[in-house]
Amino acid sequence: MDFDSHFRGALEALKAEGNYRVFAELQRKCGAFPKVRHYDAEGEGEVTVWCSNDYLGMGHHPDVVGAMVDTVRECGTGAGGTRNISGNNHLHRILEGELADLHGKEDALLFTSGYVSNWAALSTLGAKIPNAVILSDEKNHASMIEGIRHSRADKVLWKHNDWRDLDRKLKAVGDRPKIVAFESVYSMDGDICPMREIVEVAEAHGAMTYLDEVHAVGMYGPRGGGISEERGLADRITLIEGTLGKAYGVVGGYITGSHALCDFIRSFASGFIFTTALPPGVAAAATASIRHLKASSAERAAQKANVAWLRARLDRMGIPHQANESHIIPVMVGDPVKCRMISDILMKEWGIYVQPINYPTVPPGTERLRITPGPLHTEADMEHLVQALSALWRQCALAHAVA
């Protein structure tokens, strides 16, 4: 077989469909966010980022940067291997204590990313709990889907955010051990789950609850504990999973729960046992970020104000965007080729970077620009974005929203 020929053919098909992914070459400059350097064949320039998951700009916060720099100077760059081999770095345990406190849990366990924490935890629970069945929201993240698949446990899908359908599916499962897996904020539509109803249904059926809070930690609740903290439900959820790579501005994932649960995952999850641990500098930076956002609501308040301002301005200009309660603004295009074209023009002519979201991340026909305003965007930045989108909507003959 001519493997390269096969690879090229598959890539050409992606390009013809408008679903070929092009990654912009960017360079963040500490203290300048959301402005970054952009590099292409024509040279370099400055653009404003509108799609970062560093939602609060904490990756540039002086306390976070300082903690990482100081720790690298003191401890070096790497952890030395897996925690099984190189031991528990003291800074890992401090961070896990902060995370357990954040969610009101007995313990926490660090992973190298949010993807890995979902994959490792769900695959371990499904594989090691005899006769378990995992009931998964149909729009759960790929990391959750892969973890469930790898566990080889029976899986039941329930309709997105439909707690009544979940109730029916739980009844049908019967007396088997049940794990209900869902997210708080869904990253592409920005919708927030009916958490109280889901938790109550799961409790009524004796099910374990597994909550992914990756797009909510740092962002919601009086201390940044997520939607579960904001709604006073954290203590009723068995396992809360999160990330350090979004609102906290660093990298890594984690789970929180009881001592027994975290020790169970630590002892059986291959995705933990055989993976090199996070560098101590990362752990120190994440701890500084979490501590800051536990005490400060200024970043969250400024971010929410900017989201409200931008949504109102988009409405006035007739730019269609999905309504939701979160910080994510999906601006709907509905065509993969036009979505890519708009993204390219925004970069080249307007100095705006927002990545197009196409299939398979979202269903065909729902292509969009996923915009995430942060506290460091200025009113001038937001007005510039609105004017650019308005001009491109006319240029590309896209439908405006009906007032």
Side-chain angles (χ1 to χ4, degrees), residues 333-346:
V333 178
D335 179 279
V337 175
K338 288 184 177 180
C339 199
R340 174 79 261 173
M341 180 175 65
I342 289 171
S343 175
D344 290 343
I345 295 172
L346 285 171

Side-chain angles (χ1 to χ4, degrees), residues 26-49:
L26 307 174
Q27 180 66 51
R28 286 158 60 105
K29 182 178 179 181
C30 192
F33 190 75
K35 310 293 184 185
V36 302
R37 299 301 297 171
H38 170 235
Y39 301 85
D40 61 17
E42 299 174 5
E44 63 179 87
E46 184 180 83
V47 298
T48 303
V49 176

Side-chain angles (χ1 to χ4, degrees), residues 50 55-56 190 219-220 299-315 321-330 371-378 382 385-386:
W50 281 101
Y55 292 133
L56 300 177
M219 302 292 293
Y220 301 91
E299 293 81 5
R300 288 188 286 274
Q303 193 270 343
K304 287 179 174 64
N306 279 352
V307 169
W309 191 99
L310 184 56
R311 281 192 179 278
R313 195 74 180 92
L314 291 171
D315 285 338
H321 58 97
Q322 284 193 4
N324 61 53
E325 302 175 76
S326 80
H327 56 284
I328 296 166
I329 304 178
I371 296 174
T372 55
L376 300 177
H377 287 105
T378 66
M382 293 189 286
L385 172 66
V386 170

Side-chain angles (χ1 to χ4, degrees), residues 2 39 114 137 154 174 199 218 234 237-238 268 280 318 329 387:
D2 185 343
Y39 301 85
D137 184 290
D154 288 340
V199 169
I237 295 167
T238 315
F268 290 105
I329 304 178
Q387 293 300 325

Side-chain angles (χ1 to χ4, degrees), residues 30 58-74 281 284-285 288:
C30 192
M58 292 301 293
H60 291 240
H61 193 282
D63 290 353
V64 178
V65 174
M68 181 176 285
V69 171
D70 290 347
T71 304
V72 168
R73 289 198 176 109
E74 180 181 355

Side-chain angles (χ1 to χ4, degrees), residues 6-37:
H6 171 76
F7 300 150
R8 286 191 293 268
L11 292 170
E12 288 304 318
L14 274 181
K15 292 176 182 177
E17 296 163 0
N19 292 321
Y20 180 74
R21 296 169 188 251
V22 178
F23 297 157
E25 186 175 342
L26 307 174
Q27 180 66 51
R28 286 158 60 105
K29 182 178 179 181
C30 192
F33 190 75
K35 310 293 184 185
V36 302
R37 299 301 297 171

